[in-house]
């Protein structure tokens, strides 16, 4: 089979790999959809080893990219029972694997394992190929109403937004500012609205602001046209927003998220990379601010996110604006790198 390998410096290639066969406790998933996530742009753009730069470890050897895998079980290895996985079963993959035994792994947070982790698509073979081999315990069940493309989105970008909104404990009492309307920010807008919050979406791109309005944002802000902190204060009687989330990783946006929060407000950082400087006294201590960080979600959280979307009939499919064949990977990532669209997904 052929899989997408990120070479860095905005180059990728479709490289030949042997078809995987499952070992003990493993399954092979036949891919139906494999999403493109903002963090794929790190290995795509990187000059060096992006996985190491993100603190994810790995040998730096070539791996198949893609960490939003969704498909059907194609083969099961020795020791995998019928109740673990059946051939033909529709599944998402929690795209991390750890020791499987520590306190983090046992509750589904394998990415927090201290014994070394595999991040599929970054340090282990991911979903940008027709087949993917994973431990059966990485599989996450999918509600019937969730399509493979939606399942792929939930497997990182949308699930990450859900996890961050939970960390922020967002409710209908909140005005929520979402900085950045890429695939994670747009999901935060859509899910935050479904959780009852009044959502104000911030993005420099008109196309993404328009999508944000479609996804339920009450108001949108172009931070290049107006000062977002002043605008958000004005919309909240001078108080600031109860909750803010940064999905950009951009230092200016992070500072704006912190400054736009009200006294006793909550802020969550999701966008990765960079360093950011705050005035701790003025921006945080004087406001009794709570700042949290959120790294994706647990395997259990991923299932919960899918159920939330299915039960509330949230039209997540609208997020998926671009569909590609794997052979179009070069053009697909070039578009993702330069354009401000919704979300792209490879379909099989
Ligand atoms: Zn562990
Ligand atoms: Zn991701």
């Amino acid at each position: 089979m052929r899989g997408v390998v990120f070479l860095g410096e905005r180059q990728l290639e479709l490289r030949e790999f042997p078809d995987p066969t499952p070992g003990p406790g493993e399954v092979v998933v036949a891919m139906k959809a494999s999403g493109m996530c903002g963090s794929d742009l790190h290995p795509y753009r990187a000059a060096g080893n992006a996985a190491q730069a993100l603190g994810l470890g790995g040998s730096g050897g070539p791996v198949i990219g893609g960490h939003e895998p969704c498909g059907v079980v194609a083969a099961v290895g020795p020791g995998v029972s019928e109740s673990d996985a059946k051939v033909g079963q529709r599944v998402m993959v929690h795209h991390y694997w750890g020791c499987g035994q520590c306190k983090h792994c046992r509750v589904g947070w394998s990415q927090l394992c201290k014994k070394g982790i595999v991040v599929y698509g970054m340090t282990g073979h991911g979903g940008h190929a027709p087949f993917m081999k994973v431990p059966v315990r990485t599989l996450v069940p999918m509600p019937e109403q969730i399509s493979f493309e939606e399942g792929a989105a939930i497997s990182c970008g949308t699930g990450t937004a859900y996890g961050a909104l939970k960390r922020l404990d967002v409710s209908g009492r909140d005005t929520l500012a979402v900085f950045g309307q890429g695939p994670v920010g747009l999901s935060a807008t859509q899910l935050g609205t479904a959780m009852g919050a009044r959502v104000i979406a911030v993005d420099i791109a008109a196309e993404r602001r328009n999508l944000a309005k479609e996804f339920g944002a009450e108001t949108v802000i172009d931070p290049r046209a107006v000062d977002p902190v002043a605008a958000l204060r004005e919309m909240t009687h001078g108080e600031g927003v109860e909750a803010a989330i940064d999905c950009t990783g951009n230092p200016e946006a992070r500072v704006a998220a912190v400054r736009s929060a009200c006294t006793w407000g909550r802020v969550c950082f999701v966008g990765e990379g960079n360093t950011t400087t705050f005035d701790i006294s003025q921006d945080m201590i004087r406001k009794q601010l709570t700042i949290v960080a959120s790294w994706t979600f647990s395997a259990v959280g991923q299932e919960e996110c899918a159920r939330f979307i299915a039960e509330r009939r949230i039209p997540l499919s609208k997020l998926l604006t671009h569909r590609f064949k794997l052979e179009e990977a070069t053009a697909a990532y070039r578009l993702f790198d330069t354009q401000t669209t919704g979300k792209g997904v490879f379909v099989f």
Side-chain angles (χ1 to χ4, degrees), residues 62-143:
V63 297
I64 298 167
H67 61 273
E68 295 187 337
C70 190
V72 296
V73 175
V76 301
V80 175
S81 70
E82 281 252 311
S83 62
D84 289 330
K86 280 196 273 285
V87 171
Q89 186 182 341
R90 303 163 84 248
V91 289
M92 298 182 286
V93 175
H94 187 241
H95 66 270
Y96 307 96
W97 187 240
C99 74
Q101 287 159 345
C102 73
K103 63 181 180 182
H104 303 298
C105 287
R106 280 185 287 129
V107 294
W109 280 101
S110 48
Q111 66 266 50
L112 303 181
C113 180
K114 296 292 179 285
K115 295 192 177 147
I117 59 169
V118 177
V119 181
Y120 295 105
M122 294 280 180
T123 64
H125 292 317
H128 287 357
F131 297 101
M132 179 180 178
K133 183 179 74 168
V134 287
V136 68
R137 286 188 52 200
T138 64
L139 298 184
V140 178
M142 272 171 74

Side-chain angles (χ1 to χ4, degrees), residues 120-179:
Y120 295 105
M122 294 280 180
T123 64
H125 292 317
H128 287 357
F131 297 101
M132 179 180 178
K133 183 179 74 168
V134 287
V136 68
R137 286 188 52 200
T138 64
L139 298 184
V140 178
M142 272 171 74
E144 247 175 58
Q145 305 91 318
I146 297 291
S147 71
F148 290 117
E149 295 172 12
E150 291 170 320
I154 290 164
S155 299
C156 189
T158 299
T160 293
Y162 184 81
L165 295 171
K166 269 192 84 174
R167 290 275 282 145
L168 274 176
D169 200 18
V170 162
S171 80
R173 297 188 305 277
D174 294 321
T175 296
L176 168 71
V178 182
F179 287 80

